[in-house]
Amino acid sequence: METKLIQMDNIKAQKEALYAAGELIRAGEVVAFPTETVYGLGANGLDADACAKIYQAKGRPSDNPLILHVANRSMIDQIVAKVPDKAEKLMAAFCPGPLTLILPRKSIVPDRITGGLATVGVRMPENDVARALITASGVPIAAPSANISGRPSPTTAKSVLVDMKGKIPLILDGGACDFGVESTIVDAAGDKAVILRPGAITKEMLEEVLGEGNVVIDPALVGADSIPRAPGMKYTHYAPKAPLIMLEGMPTRMIRAFQREIERLQKEGHRVGVIASHEVLKGLQDLVPKDLMADYGHQGQLSAIAANIYEALRSFDDKDADILLGEGTTAEGLGLAIMNRLHKASGFQTIQV
Ligand code: TXA
Ligand code: MG
C-alpha cells in the first residue's frame, strides 16, 4: 500500500485533504494524525473491523484497549453511559487538552476496542488538525500512538512514516507535537480519581480542581510489582533499539557520573550513545562523538524535555551505538511523566548518582 503524507500547515486551505481523510475513516481505513501530545493512528471507533486494522498496523496485543477521540460533548454522550461529577469538573478544566478520562461505556462501543472492559477511555484533543479530522469523519476516532508496538511514540510525521510506511494509506503532517508525552489517563469511574498514566496534566493540577486527597496515583506506576490498571502500561514500551540505562540523581553530579560510566563502557569495547541535557553533553564533548549525542534540552526545562524525548530516543535508530545512557530528570510535576516513560524505555535499568 502506498502511504501518502499531506502537509497540514494551513488548515483552511486543506479542506480537500480533510475531506479525503474523513472519507477514509468512514470507509473503515486507518489515518495517522497529529495531536498536541503524540501522533495517533486513527480509525472509526464504532467499527470493530476498522479498529482491527489499527492493531494489525501496530502489532498491538488485542487485549490492550484503544481510547476514543471526540470533538465535542455530544460525542461523549454518544459513547459514555454516565459522566460522574468529578469527570464533569475535570472536563470543564482540561478539555480539550492532554487528558484521557476512563468512564463507563455504552454498548455502542465495540467490545473489541475496550478489551471487554466496562469502561472506555475518552479524550478530546486540542490540536486543530485532530479536531478537524474528527469533525470531518463524524464519528469518535479510536487512536493509539502511531508507533509500532513497543517503540517510542512518534511526535513528528516523519517518525510516523518510519513505522507505518506501506501499512496505512494516509498521514496528516501537522508538524512537531507540543507536549511530546501521551495524555494523562485518569480513571474517573470510581470513588477517587486515579492517575493510570502520568502526563502533562499533573497530579497537582488535578488536585487543584478536585481537592487534595481526591487524586491518587495508580500504585503500579511507582512500584514495579503490581499489575497496572491501564492494560497498556504492563507491556514493554518506548524502547529504543539499543538498550538504555538511566543515570539519576543530583544534577550537579551528572557530568562526573556520565564520564565514569562512559569510560568504563568504552573500555569494554562499547559504542556509547548519550541522551542528556545540553549542560551534561557539553561536559562530554571529549568522550563521545557528536553523532552519538542526543540533546533533549536544558537541564530542568521539563516542557522542552518532554517535547524532545521520543525523537531523542528515536535518533539512535540508525546510529551504531550499542548501548545508550540517559540523564534522569526530577520526578516532580511533568517530570513524573518523563521519568515514567524513561523507566519503561530502559526496562527500569537505573544507576543512582
Ligand atoms: O495522548 C494520547 O493519549 C495518545 C494520542 C494519540 O491521543 N494516545 C495514546 O493511546 O497514547 P495509546 O493506546 O498508545 O495509550 C492508551 C492507554 C493504553 O495504555 C491503554 O491500555 C489505556 O490507555 N486504556 C485504554 N482504555 C482503557 C480503559 N478502559 N481502562 C484503562 N486503561 C485504558
Ligand atoms: Mg502508545
Side-chain angles (χ1 to χ4, degrees), residues 27-38:
E29 292 302 327
V30 176
V31 174
F33 63 99
T35 81
E36 66 276 24
T37 57
V38 302

Side-chain angles (χ1 to χ4, degrees), residues 129-341:
V129 177
R131 298 181 66 79
L133 175 65
I134 300 166
T135 305
S137 308
V139 291
I141 293 187
S145 49
N147 50 286
I148 290 173
S149 215
R151 300 248 301 134
S153 302
T155 52
T156 65
K158 210 174 122 220
S159 289
V160 177
L161 192 62
V162 169
D163 282 18
M164 292 298 149
K165 194 170 179 178
K167 298 180 181 168
I168 61 171
L170 179 62
I171 300 169
L172 301 178
D173 182 352
C177 301
D178 293 338
F179 290 105
V181 290
E182 301 84 350
S183 61
T184 305
I185 302 181
V186 175
D187 184 343
D191 199 28
K192 289 198 171 162
V194 185
I195 299 176
L196 304 185
R197 177 176 71 185
I201 308 290
T202 61
K203 178 164 189 267
E204 294 75 16
M205 290 161 78
L206 296 166
E207 282 172 340
E208 217 162 282
V209 174
L210 298 179
E212 234 170 281
N214 293 323
V215 182
V216 295
I217 296 179
D218 181 3
L221 291 183
V222 241
D225 34 357
S226 44
I227 298 170
R229 282 166 55 193
M233 299 304 274
K234 72 175 184 273
Y235 297 107
T236 317
H237 245 103
Y238 319 119
K241 288 181 179 161
L244 170 70
I245 302 170
M246 293 304 301
L247 273 63
E248 294 172 40
M250 298 260 291
T252 49
R253 293 196 192 144
M254 279 296 170
I255 293 180
R256 190 64 210 107
F258 268 93
Q259 287 169 338
R260 224 174 16 239
E261 278 309 307
I262 291 165
E263 274 162 3
R264 186 178 67 80
L265 289 164
Q266 286 178 340
K267 244 183 232 143
E268 288 174 9
H270 287 292
R271 299 252 318 151
V272 184
V274 179
I275 300 166
S277 65
H278 199 67
E279 289 76 9
V280 164
L281 292 178
K282 238 171 131 182
L284 303 177
Q285 275 168 351
D286 299 336
L287 271 178
V288 182
K290 215 176 161 96
D291 74 308
L292 294 187
M293 299 203 262
D295 186 341
Y296 68 30
H298 286 285
Q299 221 167 31
Q301 295 192 1
L302 297 179
S303 314
I305 295 173
N308 293 331
I309 196 70
Y310 287 138
E311 290 300 315
L313 288 169
R314 279 176 174 267
S315 72
F316 286 98
D317 286 353
D318 47 13
K319 305 269 172 68
D320 62 351
D322 59 11
I323 193 155
L324 304 177
L325 296 179
E327 177 186 352
T329 67
T330 162
E332 299 290 308
L334 181 57
L336 185 66
I338 296 170
M339 288 314 297
N340 167 264
R341 306 314 192 271

Side-chain angles (χ1 to χ4, degrees), residues 37-40 60 64-65 67 69 100 102 117 119-121 123 143-145 182-183 185 196-197 229-233:
T37 57
V38 302
Y39 273 76
R60 180 175 176 119
N64 190 0
I67 60 178
H69 295 65
T100 296
I102 305 297
L117 296 172
T119 51
V120 62
R123 165 151 142 72
S145 49
E182 301 84 350
S183 61
I185 302 181
L196 304 185
R197 177 176 71 185
R229 282 166 55 193
M233 299 304 274

